[in-house]
Amino acid sequence: RESTERIRARVAQDGRFRLVADVISFDESIRKAILYVVGNTVVCEDLGSARQLCFGGSQNPRSAGNEDFSIKAVTLEGHVISRSGTMTGGIFSGDKNQAGRWDEKASEEMRQKREALEGERNELDRNASTGRQSLGRASRMQELKNNFETLQTRKEYAKTDQEFTRKSLAEKAILLKSITRKIPELEEKLAAAEKEIETLNSKREVAIAEVKSAEDEHLGPFLAATGLKDVQAYEQATRESREEFNKNRRALTEHISQLEEQKNYESNRDLKKPIKTLENRLKSHNKKLKAAREREEKLKSEGEVVKGAFHEAEAAHEEALGKEAECEEKVKALQKEFKEAQQERIQVSKAVSTEESALEQLRGKLHETLQKARVEEVELPMIGAQNDGNSSDEEIDGEDPQETSQPTQTTLPSGTQFSQEYHPKMVADRNDAAKIDFSGLRSDLKQRLSDREERTVRKDFDEKRMKLEAELEGIAPNMKAQDALSAITEKLKGTDADFQQAKEKSRKAAAEFQKIKNQRTKRFMEAFTHIDKSLKTIYTDMTKSSKHPLGGNAYLSLDREDEPFLGGMKFNAMPPMKRFRDMYQLSGGEKTVASLALLFAIHSYQPAPFFVMDEVDAALDNINLRKVCNYIQRRSQTDFQCIVISLKDMFYERSDSLVGICKDVGTNSSRTLTLDLTQYDKKRALAEEKAKGNRKRKERATQSEGGEPRKRAALPASPATTVATQ
């Protein structure tokens, strides 16, 4: 980093740059501290010159050399360019327009715009009366209304700012007059100081001449003898020779010490013992070498034997490989035969399974046909039935009614019975089928039919059967038709009564639903209106300050006011001196303040017993944190209880009590610490009451003496209202 003096010398060439240390006033006793704080900060006229200074240019003082500069630039408009190159702050033309400098012309334009908007609103109201209002128009009207309120707020702020500027201008004019009056006096002091400086300079030159003449008088012979010009040259030559002598002596002393240490080390070394150790190691190595050679000869003889055995084993291995290849060929052939036999067995098993399945189906069809014939009392033609017809009729007539009805109670066998050839029911079915006479069938029906042909034959038989049944029904009239008609008529009357009753219930249910729906909408709109109104007041109270006395603006809007539950809801907040933006474009602190305002507004509709806030101040700076603390403290004096979990000292200062959680090392568990701060408020209140009593006594004493008492306003106590926990 370059020194401050070098930077001052470089920026002094351009009148647009000044060091901050040169433009601020401070006491000389704290000069080092001020220089440490401001460092190499440079004040620039505008942002362009600051960029030229920090980022380079043809006239840039930083480009004069190749040194690495570390300069922080600050402009008169408030822009800051840090040493790392980041830019913050400043006032742009857009910000000035936002701040607003309203004049009569602008007010007239806004008035005309308001009249135009009012005319448009009246037109919209007329459209609404005729039912032609489009969707979203109500939200647009609400948005325009909010924008108008925002412009009114900015207008009030502009008037306040204008008044403040006028007062400030008057103060500056008074200060300028005062400074102008002091200028002649300061000029006189400056002239007197310059005269005094000239006198002191002349005295200094006289003193220097006297010192030089004294040196020439006393040291002249010595200088003439040595050939030196003055005493300083002599002292410099003596100092250089002394330093060189000391340096050489120190180097020589170190070299001598090193040689003495080396000599002592060499003289104290015992060389016989290492030699003896090396001889012993040599003998040991010779013995090991002899043993290794003997072992090598032995291993060579053993290697020859192993080589012979290896060759024999290799030959046996090749023979075994040949036998293994023959066995593998035989195994492959056997495996191929086994696979073929297995595939043939699988095919045979599939064929057997198919035939068995077909046989089971035929058994099932046979059983179903016989069972259906028994149930429907169909007389099947039997072999020898014509000869024994009379006897069979007699047998049938003489049978017990329970026995004749027995076939109708027969249940179908399960699927497992069809697969059992010798099951009793299957045997009975075969015996019954053997007695049936098929001679009356057509020749084509005696052949085995496919499924399609069987369906066609069944369809033909069913059509014939249905035709015969219809003929029978036409021949035999239904005697119960009148009774059936009466029953159906009564049933129709009962159904019509049920229908009318259900219709009446539906109408009542629809009316009740509409009533509940209207009540729900009414209650929702009451809550929404109250929360919206409270939100505007609360957000204004939380954002206003001495610089922004009017605060910000926040509001809620519905997408569909006629059907609020079919649309969404929008929450918009405009901090002081900020234009309209969506919520996601606000900073973290602004979002936190807006969220707390909405929370407090909801609380105002149906208040809860207390609040628990967990580190809501994480994204707040000190200014917004102070606003939130003040609002909570003010509200808690009337209808508000709050427990705040925080790490900020500002909450601690304004709380009623503190609860801290820490770790107890002894028991390895949590520990709670509490502190009641109201006791200090009581002490302060007692002190204030005591002071108030003393003032009253003094006032009474003053009144008794005939003097007028002085009125003095007592500062109200500000009790802490929140509970901060850590």
Side-chain angles (χ1 to χ4, degrees):
R1 178 192 291 182
E2 285 200 341
S3 64
T4 304
E5 296 299 329
R6 294 180 63 186
I7 295 176
R8 180 183 291 111
R10 296 203 173 188
V11 300
Q13 301 173 4
D14 196 335
R16 296 175 299 169
F17 310 115
R18 292 288 299 277
L19 278 172
V20 174
D22 296 341
V23 298
I24 59 176
S25 300
F26 52 85
D27 192 357
E28 289 296 328
S29 60
I30 60 172
R31 182 178 181 81
K32 292 184 178 180
I34 295 297
L35 293 177
Y36 176 77
V37 172
V38 300
N40 295 339
T41 305
V42 179
V43 180
C44 306
E45 286 186 353
D46 51 15
L47 183 60
S49 58
R51 287 175 175 170
Q52 183 180 358
L53 175 64
C54 295
F55 303 128
S58 59
Q59 301 297 331
N60 183 11
R62 300 179 66 169
S63 61
N66 296 327
E67 297 86 349
D68 183 14
F69 284 80
S70 179
I71 298 176
K72 178 180 179 182
V74 179
T75 66
L76 298 177
E77 296 177 349
H79 299 90
V80 179
I81 302 178
S82 65
R83 295 184 176 89
S84 60
T86 58
M87 298 175 61
T88 57
I91 301 176
F92 297 95
S93 59
D95 298 330
K96 294 179 180 178
N97 293 332
Q98 291 175 10
R101 299 295 183 186
W102 300 90
D103 52 8
E104 294 298 330
K105 184 178 178 180
S107 300
E108 183 64 26
E109 290 178 356
M110 293 304 301
R111 192 177 297 108
Q112 293 175 0
K113 188 175 181 180
R114 184 185 67 180
E115 293 175 356
L117 291 174
E118 287 179 352
E120 185 179 352
R121 184 187 64 184
N122 296 331
E123 182 67 23
L124 293 175
D125 292 338
R126 287 194 295 272
N127 293 338
S129 62
T130 59
R132 291 179 295 163
Q133 186 177 10
S134 62
L135 295 177
R137 188 168 292 171
S139 60
R140 176 60 180 170
M141 291 174 59
Q142 182 67 24
E143 183 178 355
L144 293 174
K145 189 184 296 183
N146 294 327
N147 291 337
F148 178 72
E149 293 177 359
T150 303
L151 294 175
Q152 288 286 70
T153 303
R154 292 174 61 183
K155 179 181 177 182
E156 295 296 331
Y157 174 76
K159 290 181 179 179
T160 305
D161 192 15
Q162 185 179 12
E163 187 64 27
F164 176 77
T165 305
R166 288 176 181 174
K167 292 180 181 179
S168 178
L169 184 61
E171 293 176 358
K172 299 295 184 183
I174 294 171
L175 182 62
L176 180 61
K177 291 180 181 179
S178 176
I179 293 173
T180 306
R181 287 196 299 268
K182 291 181 180 180
I183 287 175
E185 183 180 354
L186 294 175
E187 289 179 351
E188 292 177 359
K189 290 182 179 180
L190 179 62
E194 289 178 351
K195 290 181 180 179
E196 187 177 356
I197 289 172
E198 291 178 358
T199 305
L200 292 175
N201 286 334
S202 60
K203 290 181 179 180
R204 183 174 66 85
E205 292 176 357
V206 172
I208 291 173
E210 291 178 355
V211 170
K212 190 172 182 181
S213 61
E215 287 180 353
D216 294 340
E217 182 179 355
H218 294 285
L219 300 176
F222 175 74
L223 295 175
T226 56
L228 298 173
K229 294 181 179 180
D230 50 11
V231 178
Q232 287 78 8
Y234 173 74
E235 290 179 353
Q236 183 178 1
T238 306
R239 183 171 58 255
E240 291 177 354
S241 60
R242 187 184 301 110
E243 289 178 354
E244 185 177 0
F245 174 75
N246 291 333
K247 181 179 179 181
N248 294 333
R249 185 176 66 178
R250 185 166 53 253
L252 185 60
T253 304
E254 291 176 355
H255 187 62
I256 291 172
S257 300
Q258 184 179 2
L259 292 176
E260 288 180 352
E261 291 293 334
Q262 187 175 1
K263 177 184 176 184
N264 294 332
Y265 173 75
E266 295 294 338
S267 60
N268 293 330
R269 287 180 64 184
D270 187 7
L271 299 178
K272 294 181 179 179
K273 188 174 181 180
I275 293 172
K276 188 175 181 181
T277 303
L278 292 174
E279 289 177 351
N280 294 332
R281 289 176 64 185
L282 181 61
K283 291 179 181 179
S284 175
H285 286 313
N286 290 332
K287 290 181 180 179
K288 290 180 180 180
L289 180 61
K290 185 177 180 181
R293 287 176 178 174
E294 293 177 354
R295 187 178 178 184
E296 182 183 3
E297 294 295 333
K298 185 177 180 181
L299 290 174
K300 283 182 179 180
S301 60
E302 291 178 356
E304 294 295 334
V305 176
V306 170
K307 282 183 180 180
F310 175 74
H311 290 307
E312 293 177 358
E314 210 170 26
H317 175 66
E318 291 178 356
E319 184 179 357
L321 288 176
K323 292 180 179 179
E324 182 182 3
E326 294 177 358
C327 292
E328 285 181 355
E329 293 293 334
K330 292 180 180 179
V331 168
K332 288 180 180 179
L334 293 174
Q335 286 179 351
K336 185 176 180 181
E337 294 177 359
F338 174 74
K339 286 182 180 179
E340 293 176 355
Q342 192 173 12
Q343 290 177 357
E344 185 177 356
R345 182 181 66 82
I346 292 171
Q347 292 177 357
V348 172
S349 298
K350 288 182 179 179
V352 171
S353 299
T354 304
E355 295 297 331
E356 287 180 352
S357 299
L359 184 59
E360 289 178 7
Q361 292 178 1
L362 293 174
R363 288 172 183 169
K365 289 181 180 180
L366 175 62
H367 183 80
E368 182 181 357
T369 303
L370 295 175
Q371 187 71 13
K372 188 174 181 181
R374 294 190 190 100
V375 172
E376 296 180 357
E377 297 180 356
V378 177
E379 294 183 359
L380 298 175
M382 298 293 180
I383 298 175
Q386 296 177 355
N387 299 329
D388 301 336
N390 296 328
S391 61
S392 62
D393 293 338
E394 293 176 357
E395 291 176 359
I396 292 173
D397 294 336
E399 287 180 353
D400 191 4
Q402 294 180 355
E403 294 178 359
T404 57
S405 61
Q406 184 176 0
T408 61
Q409 299 176 357
T410 305
T411 58
L412 291 174
S414 62
T416 57
Q417 295 174 358
F418 294 143
S419 62
Q420 298 176 5
E421 182 180 0
Y422 299 101
H423 192 274
K425 292 184 178 181
M426 298 297 102
V427 173
D429 289 341
R430 285 199 302 273
N431 294 333
D432 292 341
K435 296 177 182 180
I436 297 174
D437 186 7
F438 296 99
S439 60
L441 291 176
R442 297 197 306 267
S443 59
D444 57 340
L445 296 178
K446 293 180 181 180
Q447 302 297 327
R448 184 171 181 178
L449 303 176
S450 62
D451 293 340
R452 183 176 180 181
E453 294 174 346
E454 184 178 353
R455 285 195 298 270
T456 304
V457 172
R458 282 182 179 274
K459 185 177 180 181
D460 294 338
F461 278 116
D462 289 338
E463 290 177 355
K464 291 179 181 180
R465 180 177 58 79
M466 292 174 65
K467 190 179 293 184
L468 293 174
E469 288 178 354
E471 291 178 358
L472 290 174
E473 288 179 358
I475 295 171
N478 188 2
M479 303 303 293
K480 297 181 180 180
Q482 186 66 29
D483 297 337
L485 178 62
S486 300
I488 292 172
T489 304
E490 293 296 330
K491 187 176 180 181
L492 180 61
K493 291 180 180 179
T495 305
D496 185 57
D498 294 339
F499 171 72
Q500 294 297 333
Q501 186 178 2
K503 187 176 180 181
E504 183 65 21
K505 288 182 179 179
S506 175
R507 186 185 62 78
K508 291 182 180 179
E512 189 68 22
F513 172 76
Q514 187 63 31
K515 181 180 177 182
I516 294 174
K517 183 179 178 182
N518 294 335
Q519 291 178 356
R520 180 184 68 167
T521 304
K522 181 180 178 182
R523 295 184 64 181
F524 174 79
M525 292 306 298
E526 289 177 357
F528 176 81
T529 305
H530 176 83
I531 292 171
D532 186 28
K533 185 177 179 181
S534 302
L535 174 63
K536 294 177 181 178
T537 305
I538 293 172
Y539 187 75
T540 302
D541 293 340
M542 293 182 67
T543 55
K544 67 182 180 181
S545 61
S546 59
K547 294 184 179 180
H548 309 292
L550 300 178
N553 187 20
Y555 62 91
L556 297 172
S557 61
L558 294 173
D559 291 342
R560 296 186 61 178
E561 292 187 355
D562 53 345
E563 291 288 344
F565 294 98
L566 297 181
M569 184 187 304
K570 292 182 180 180
F571 174 35
N572 294 310
M574 290 181 288
M577 303 310 299
K578 294 288 184 71
R579 68 176 187 273
F580 177 81
R581 295 178 181 174
D582 292 330
M583 289 296 293
Y584 68 88
Q585 292 179 338
L586 300 180
S587 63
E590 292 170 347
K591 290 179 183 177
T592 302
V593 174
S595 301
L596 290 175
L598 179 60
L599 180 65
F600 295 149
I602 296 173
H603 169 267
S604 66
Y605 180 66
Q606 290 184 351
F610 59 88
F611 271 106
V612 178
M613 299 184 182
D614 187 2
E615 295 189 7
V616 297
D617 52 0
L620 297 177
D621 55 5
N622 292 332
I623 297 175
N624 289 325
L625 179 61
R626 185 179 295 106
K627 292 178 182 179
V628 174
C629 290
N630 292 336
Y631 179 80
I632 294 176
Q633 184 179 13
R634 185 168 62 255
R635 283 289 303 276
S636 60
Q637 295 175 357
T638 56
D639 59 345
F640 199 81
Q641 296 185 88
C642 188
I643 298 174
V644 181
I645 302 172
S646 175
L647 298 174
K648 300 295 180 68
D649 298 341
M650 199 173 296
F651 269 114
Y652 304 160
E653 296 171 359
R654 290 167 170 78
S655 61
D656 280 336
S657 61
L658 300 177
V659 180
I661 308 299
C662 63
K663 181 179 180 181
D664 191 348
V665 181
T667 60
N668 196 18
S669 61
S670 299
R671 183 181 177 187
T672 306
L673 305 175
T674 59
L675 177 62
D676 186 8
L677 300 180
T678 57
Q679 55 183 343
Y680 303 104
D681 296 335
K682 293 178 181 178
K683 292 180 180 179
R684 183 171 59 183
L686 292 174
E688 290 179 354
E689 290 179 359
K690 186 176 180 181
K692 188 175 181 181
N694 293 334
R695 287 196 300 272
K696 288 183 178 180
R697 285 195 296 272
K698 290 181 181 180
E699 290 174 359
R700 286 196 295 269
T702 306
Q703 289 178 359
S704 62
E705 294 176 1
E708 294 183 357
R710 292 184 300 171
K711 295 182 179 180
R712 184 176 181 182
L715 294 174
S718 58
T721 55
T722 61
V723 178
T725 63
Q726 183 178 358

